[in-house]
Amino acid sequence: MAKKLPAYVIKDVSLFAPGAPGSRIGQCSEITIPVLEKTMESFRNAGMIKPIEIAMGYETTECSFTETSFDPDMLKLFGIGAASSMVAYGYMADEDGTEHSCRFQMVGDVKKIDAGSWASGTKGEHSYDMTVHSGTLFIDDQEIIRFTPHRFWVGGVEQFPGRANALRL
């Protein structure tokens, strides 16, 4: 019988942001990639003894990240209409030693900057919230999920495939 060991364990992260030199290694302490959630509606039509939920689309996506620096280049991403491309990188490893990479490429607008509490002798952390208009999740360079405001793919398969044609998208 094959051993079942933990796999794809995220062990380290980094963030790349435009206008900031290189990656945010040493600056970004935490990243929350977009939460993907379906919009569900409850239906109970004639002859149904109980309602069922039907997927109608997807909810708004956001990401957040925390930095230990108050970098002016990052603060400039707060500008109106300043859609930004960001990439969250992750290093993963299985318990058997197999290594993996993941990245979440996203485009959106920084909508909130929280400078946190400033106190002598403590690490200052600053958090950023961003609405994400489009994004793509890759694991080992394989596209897993991709979305735009108009379309959504999972494992390379478009969800609601007839919709784009019907709406001439």
Side-chain angles (χ1 to χ4, degrees):
M1 174 182 257
K3 284 173 83 175
K4 303 273 186 198
L5 297 173
Y8 297 95
V9 177
I10 293 181
K11 296 196 172 188
D12 208 352
V13 298
S14 181
L15 182 71
F16 177 84
S23 74
R24 307 299 296 161
I25 290 177
Q27 306 296 320
C28 185
S29 60
E30 181 179 13
I31 306 164
T32 301
I33 64 171
V35 173
L36 304 175
E37 181 180 358
K38 293 179 182 176
T39 301
M40 305 298 286
E41 288 289 337
S42 181
F43 278 86
R44 184 175 178 177
N45 293 327
M48 296 175 72
I49 196 155
K50 70 173 202 69
I52 59 171
E53 288 190 322
I54 304 291
M56 300 297 288
Y58 299 93
E59 295 292 327
T60 302
T61 48
E62 301 179 343
C63 81
S64 62
F65 52 96
T66 303
E67 295 217 327
T68 54
S69 67
F70 209 41
D71 186 333
D73 289 328
M74 293 299 289
L75 296 171
K76 291 175 187 172
L77 297 176
F78 190 64
I80 298 293
S84 300
S85 297
M86 300 228 185
V87 183
Y89 291 98
Y91 164 74
M92 302 182 294
D94 300 348
E95 285 300 304
D96 68 3
T98 305
E99 296 179 309
H100 304 279
S101 66
C102 65
R103 71 182 185 276
F104 201 109
Q105 296 173 230
M106 54 199 134
V107 176
D109 289 311
V110 173
K111 65 180 192 173
K112 179 181 173 184
I113 299 173
D114 182 350
S117 299
W118 295 13
S120 297
T122 62
K123 176 175 68 171
E125 291 195 324
H126 308 91
S127 62
Y128 296 77
D129 291 338
M130 179 176 159
T131 184
V132 178
H133 307 311
S134 62
T136 308
L137 172 65
F138 294 92
I139 296 178
D140 293 333
D141 291 323
Q142 178 184 354
E143 181 183 294
I144 305 299
I145 294 174
R146 177 170 42 118
F147 62 89
T148 69
H150 308 292
R151 299 170 99 162
F152 206 103
W153 296 262
V154 177
V157 177
E158 184 168 2
Q159 309 300 294
F160 306 107
R163 183 179 171 278
N165 186 46
L167 298 177
R168 306 298 189 256
L169 296 175

